[in-house]
Amino acid sequence: MLRGYRGIWNAPLEKLGIRTIRDLLFFFPRDYECTGELVDLSELEAESEVTVVGEIADTRTGRTRYGKSIYSINVDCEDVQVKATWFNMRFLKDKFQAGDRVVLSGVAKPKANRWEMTHPRISIVDEDTEVQGSEVLPVYRLSQGISQPALRKLVKTAVDDYVEQLDEVLPELIRTQKGIGSIQEAIRGIHHPETLEDLEHHRLRFVYQELLVLQLALALRRWHHSISHKAPQLETDARIHSRITARFPFELTAAQQRVVQDICDDMARDEPMNRLLQGDVGSGKTVVAEYAMLLSVAHGHQAVLMAPTEILAQQHYHTLQEDLKNSRVNIGILTGSMKAAERREVLEGLASGDIDLLIGTHSVANDEVEFKSLALVVIDEQHKFGVRQRMAVRNNGLNPHYLVMSATPIPRTIAMGMFADLDISTIRQGPDHQQPVNTYLGDPEEREKWWEFYRGKLREGRQGYVIASTVERGTREDRLSVEEIYQGLADRILSDFRIGMVHGKMSPADKAETMARFHAHELDVLVATSVIEVGVNVPNASLMTIEDAQQFGLAQLHQLRGRVRRGHHTGYVCVFGNPANAEAETRLQSFVDTLDGFELAEIDFELRGPGDLFGTKQHGMPPLRVADLRRDRAIVELARDDAQALLESDPGLQGTQFVKLRKQVLRRYGRVLDVGDVG
């Protein structure tokens, strides 16, 4: 605790999340400015990278003959004047005015009797600030009402007055082994580094600390559940295995058999299974989940499968009904749109044990849902669910086993960084009968050729999707809404065919009716938003057009493409887009060139970092403040190994040398990871 620890009542700081002295100390710069050597321009003889200090004499705005905006200021630096100019940066004219004392850093070029700078770095400083050249200056996030100089001064004061009162969290043994300095040195160095090399040294200390705390939280959660939760032991024998696999109209692939064995080994123990099953689109994850659910039923218990949408829940429900139509297994479904009487009947069946398998949406994680003997929770598309929604089901009945599935392959760094509390099984390849998909990057000038091909396949009896990026156009004139695309197809391009439409703003009943008609081939074409990206299974649909494809991430595009590789017909996908930058161009070209979802996941990670591609927000985790999983991947692995070693030497981190480290773990992650009562 900081002595003199007081709240800071300041609206602009509140907007930045700064309420205390501690918040100020740990409000790290978002960037840094490197200034040139501080010089006297009267002694400078040639063009050079420099830093100068002076007072703004006047400001001017204008335009070039080509229409670019110009903003310039004249700065008096002792006996020499500097003209600084910026193009197409109109926002600067409201930030500076005559009389401001400023620091300019950039290349100074002599011209006539003055010096000129183009696009120099500029900042306002007060009269008391002593400017030094060749500095690394912190650049902080700002909010309206506070300037960069004011915030720099405030942080500097906090560092000078309070940094010595900070507690050291990392034990001395760890700091010695890793060559890490004290917290006081690191705080000073990250706010006021002497050099960029000095900055990187101190940044790495906080990166390591942040990732170590995260890895310890995940490891503690795993340890805590292993000792405090007991699950039913569900062993598999040849008879049970034969009865379950006989329900499938095909043999399990080698990859499916391997993952089934992983799950059987887990469920045979009294420690709750915590396993993540990741697999590419169409790889057969649902069959594995069905095996695990039937294993629960074989031992007289119940199982639940939670899906993120009603469309996917209905599909799982119908698939299980078909697979188990001649069995005594009773299947129920629970969604938010059900009528009260239907819902009440399902709830009674769960409580009495009459319902063996339940398929549901988020509504399953509800206090009124009680199971008689729940032994397994399966979460489909786990990144669509928050931790609390998943954990809420745990509180019903026993401590069940826990299987989460993801059709978005997870890059190795993300798996280590965010899912280290789970065992991971992977299915990379789909069944042998899975068809390839031909993917094309559409040329706007040859759009009609694609539609002629599309119409030809429809006449052969195939079905197709057309994907829109938005339900409503809004202010985006460059994007077509799902309604506009639907009308254009119905009126002209596909006027000879039966067309339906589905999107997220429709009622569940209307969506279900449209999907049922498409599945029954009462519709030839379905115009949809990304609401159909997960789990929709229409084997006869082998065509897809994606409009405004630059609006989708790689993982989402790959999920959408998965809809046309569900049957025995070769799939065809054409994406039309208007990429605004190189990253978007690379993303679309990678999608066209690569059918492997695991490879695409790594490419997306390289292009965009983790973002929320893999549910890091839905995972419930606080955002990382300093670490970057893409940039700091080597430290992720180091922190994971160190966390495992620490807990092997001291389960629960009960030793006195770990007291402060353990407190930080619980303070940051205890609530969200359900480890608040560890020890």
Side-chain angles (χ1 to χ4, degrees):
M1 177 66 74
L2 296 175
R3 292 183 294 278
Y5 176 74
R6 296 176 181 273
I8 302 173
W9 292 277
N10 181 295
L13 294 180
E14 286 268 2
K15 293 178 183 176
L16 295 170
I18 300 173
R19 298 175 179 84
T20 67
I21 298 297
R22 179 181 290 276
D23 293 338
L24 262 181
L25 293 175
F26 287 93
F27 187 73
F28 293 160
R30 64 171 177 80
D31 202 356
Y32 296 85
E33 293 178 350
C34 298
T35 67
E37 182 183 359
L38 185 64
V39 299
D40 183 345
L41 286 174
S42 63
E43 298 177 359
L44 194 65
E45 296 180 354
E47 177 181 317
S48 183
E49 174 87 22
V50 298
T51 294
V52 296
V53 183
E55 183 177 300
I56 297 178
D58 58 71
T59 67
R60 297 179 184 179
T61 58
R63 288 191 175 276
T64 68
R65 70 173 72 178
Y66 303 107
K68 287 185 178 181
S69 67
I70 303 175
Y71 176 70
S72 63
I73 62 175
N74 289 312
V75 179
D76 290 331
C77 302
E78 300 296 338
D79 298 328
V80 181
Q81 192 171 74
V82 177
K83 181 182 180 182
T85 303
W86 295 267
F87 297 96
N88 283 342
M89 298 181 72
R90 289 189 293 268
F91 65 90
L92 289 177
K93 70 183 180 66
D94 298 321
K95 297 184 68 174
F96 305 103
Q97 58 188 357
D100 286 343
R101 184 175 183 244
V102 295
V103 178
L104 296 174
S105 292
V107 177
K109 300 179 180 180
K111 187 169 183 179
N113 62 343
R114 67 182 181 191
W115 293 83
E116 292 190 351
M117 290 181 163
T118 303
H119 284 258
R121 295 180 295 276
I122 181 172
S123 58
I124 299 175
V125 293
D126 56 37
E127 292 294 334
D128 298 330
T129 300
E130 181 180 348
V131 179
Q132 297 177 347
S134 303
E135 289 182 288
V136 181
L137 298 176
V139 179
Y140 299 98
R141 286 187 299 111
L142 298 176
S143 64
Q144 188 172 6
I146 189 165
S147 65
Q148 194 67 236
L151 190 51
R152 282 175 178 164
K153 187 173 183 179
L154 193 61
V155 173
K156 186 177 186 306
T157 300
V159 171
D160 291 344
D161 293 349
Y162 290 96
V163 73
E164 292 299 329
Q165 297 183 31
L166 283 175
D167 286 334
E168 178 60 73
V169 170
L170 294 178
E172 185 175 355
L173 176 63
I174 293 178
R175 289 192 290 114
T176 301
Q177 289 177 342
K178 306 300 177 189
I180 292 174
S182 69
I183 185 69
Q184 289 78 17
E185 294 171 358
I187 286 288
R188 290 192 187 96
I190 207 162
H191 286 293
H192 304 108
E194 294 182 5
T195 65
L196 291 177
E197 291 77 12
D198 182 50
L199 164 65
E200 182 64 7
H201 173 73
H202 295 302
R203 186 190 73 82
L204 288 176
R205 179 236 153 86
F206 287 112
V207 169
Y208 174 78
Q209 179 175 327
E210 184 170 45
L211 292 174
L212 179 66
V213 167
L214 169 62
Q215 291 297 311
L216 284 171
L218 293 169
L220 276 171
R221 177 177 186 261
R222 185 173 186 140
W223 172 80
H224 179 55
H225 283 288
S226 71
I227 65 170
S228 61
H229 293 75
K230 297 299 179 183
Q233 293 178 266
L234 311 176
E235 296 183 352
T236 308
D237 56 29
R239 181 179 60 86
I240 292 175
H241 179 77
S242 177
R243 284 172 53 194
I244 293 176
T245 54
R247 292 292 171 187
F248 303 140
F250 45 76
E251 290 188 9
L252 297 179
T253 66
Q256 288 173 324
Q257 291 178 27
R258 174 175 46 78
V259 174
V260 162
Q261 188 60 55
D262 290 341
I263 291 171
C264 289
D265 290 344
D266 287 349
M267 295 177 68
R269 294 192 289 266
D270 62 359
E271 176 185 331
M273 173 176 67
N274 280 282
R275 185 166 292 276
L276 167 64
L277 171 56
Q278 62 169 345
D280 209 341
V281 176
S283 60
K285 298 179 300 300
T286 305
V287 173
V288 173
E290 186 175 339
Y291 185 106
M293 295 171 74
L294 292 176
L295 178 58
S296 295
V297 175
H299 284 272
H301 297 289
Q302 297 165 297
V304 59
L305 189 157
M306 292 173 62
T309 66
E310 291 203 13
I311 289 177
L312 186 52
Q314 289 285 351
Q315 179 177 299
H316 283 312
Y317 179 64
H318 294 310
T319 298
L320 283 171
Q321 281 189 317
E322 180 65 24
D323 290 348
L324 303 174
K325 57 185 176 183
N326 295 320
S327 77
R328 290 175 294 178
V329 178
N330 192 10
I331 310 168
I333 185 168
L334 191 65
T335 65
S337 64
M338 293 177 64
K339 295 179 180 179
E342 295 174 324
R343 183 177 181 82
R344 187 164 51 251
E345 183 179 351
V346 171
L347 293 177
E348 290 173 354
L350 292 173
S352 66
D354 290 340
I355 293 179
D356 303 300
L357 302 180
L358 177 68
I359 312 299
T361 56
H362 302 74
S363 59
V364 172
N366 189 301
D367 289 341
E368 67 176 345
V369 180
E370 295 184 5
F371 294 83
K372 181 180 180 181
S373 182
L374 179 64
L376 174 67
V377 176
V378 180
I379 308 293
D380 196 9
E381 295 305 316
Q382 58 81 28
H383 58 283
K384 304 283 187 179
F385 291 88
V387 166
R388 296 225 175 86
Q389 288 172 322
R390 301 194 309 226
M391 297 301 293
V393 187
R394 284 185 171 280
N395 298 327
N396 299 325
L398 305 172
N399 290 309
H401 297 285
Y402 178 50
L403 175 67
V404 296
M405 301 191 296
S406 174
T408 302
I410 301 172
R412 184 170 180 270
T413 304
I414 295 288
M416 287 191 299
M418 293 305 211
F419 299 99
D421 56 325
L422 302 175
D423 293 308
I424 299 179
S425 293
T426 300
I427 303 178
R428 285 197 69 108
Q429 294 180 324
D432 293 337
H433 64 76
Q434 191 174 47
Q435 294 298 306
V437 178
N438 299 294
T439 308
Y440 310 99
L441 187 57
D443 184 339
E445 295 181 0
E446 298 186 351
R447 182 182 281 266
E448 181 51 37
K449 287 185 179 180
W450 165 252
W451 284 118
E452 183 57 39
F453 174 82
Y454 195 104
R455 288 190 290 264
K457 288 295 179 181
L458 292 178
R459 293 188 186 101
E460 291 177 10
R462 304 288 75 75
Q463 292 168 271
Y465 301 94
V466 180
I467 307 300
S469 66
T470 182
V471 177
E472 299 173 346
R473 181 186 290 213
T475 60
R476 296 297 303 270
E477 292 298 321
D478 59 333
R479 292 166 58 185
L480 293 173
S481 70
V482 65
E483 179 72 34
E484 290 170 320
I485 292 174
Y486 172 81
Q487 289 297 332
L489 295 174
D491 294 344
R492 185 176 62 85
I493 298 174
L494 299 177
S495 57
D496 294 337
F497 301 93
R498 301 165 296 177
I499 306 177
M501 179 174 61
V502 64
H503 56 76
K505 291 195 174 182
M506 294 170 60
S507 70
D510 288 343
K511 282 189 288 188
E513 180 184 357
T514 302
M515 291 305 304
R517 293 181 62 205
F518 187 60
H519 196 277
H521 205 166
E522 295 174 8
L523 297 172
D524 301 304
V525 177
L526 185 66
V527 183
T529 57
S530 59
V531 69
I532 60 100
E533 75 175 277
V534 174
V536 172
N537 184 16
V538 181
N540 190 51
S542 62
L543 301 163
M544 179 173 286
T545 305
I546 303 178
E547 299 285 1
D548 298 314
Q550 75 281 354
Q551 298 300 127
F552 299 99
L554 260 178
Q556 199 171 31
L557 287 170
H558 187 59
Q559 285 288 319
L560 290 167
R561 178 166 55 187
R563 301 315 103 214
V564 298
R565 61 184 315 196
R566 313 294 290 191
H568 295 277
H569 306 287
T570 299
Y572 299 91
V573 176
C574 189
V575 294
F576 292 97
N578 183 28
N581 52 52
E583 185 268 332
E585 290 180 4
T586 301
R587 186 166 72 248
L588 292 184
Q589 193 60 55
S590 298
F591 173 64
V592 170
D593 294 342
T594 308
L595 191 59
D596 186 326
F598 286 86
E599 185 177 341
L600 288 175
E602 294 291 348
I603 292 171
D604 214 5
F605 181 58
E606 288 293 336
L607 288 174
R608 302 199 296 168
D612 194 37
L613 297 175
F614 308 100
T616 51
K617 288 182 182 176
Q618 285 287 43
H619 195 274
M621 310 294 278
L624 295 173
R625 295 169 176 169
V626 186
D628 181 298
L629 293 181
R630 175 176 47 175
R631 177 191 59 199
D632 301 315
R633 62 184 67 192
I635 303 179
V636 172
E637 193 159 354
L638 176 65
R640 184 198 61 172
D641 292 344
D642 288 349
Q644 290 175 349
L646 284 175
L647 284 179
E648 285 175 7
S649 66
D650 184 357
L653 294 183
Q654 302 296 320
T656 56
Q657 71 271 34
F658 299 129
V659 169
K660 293 178 180 177
L661 181 59
R662 181 172 171 275
K663 282 183 178 178
Q664 182 169 1
V665 171
L666 298 183
R667 182 168 60 241
R668 183 148 176 79
Y669 293 109
R671 185 163 163 262
V672 70
L673 289 179
D674 192 30
V675 295
D677 57 346
V678 172

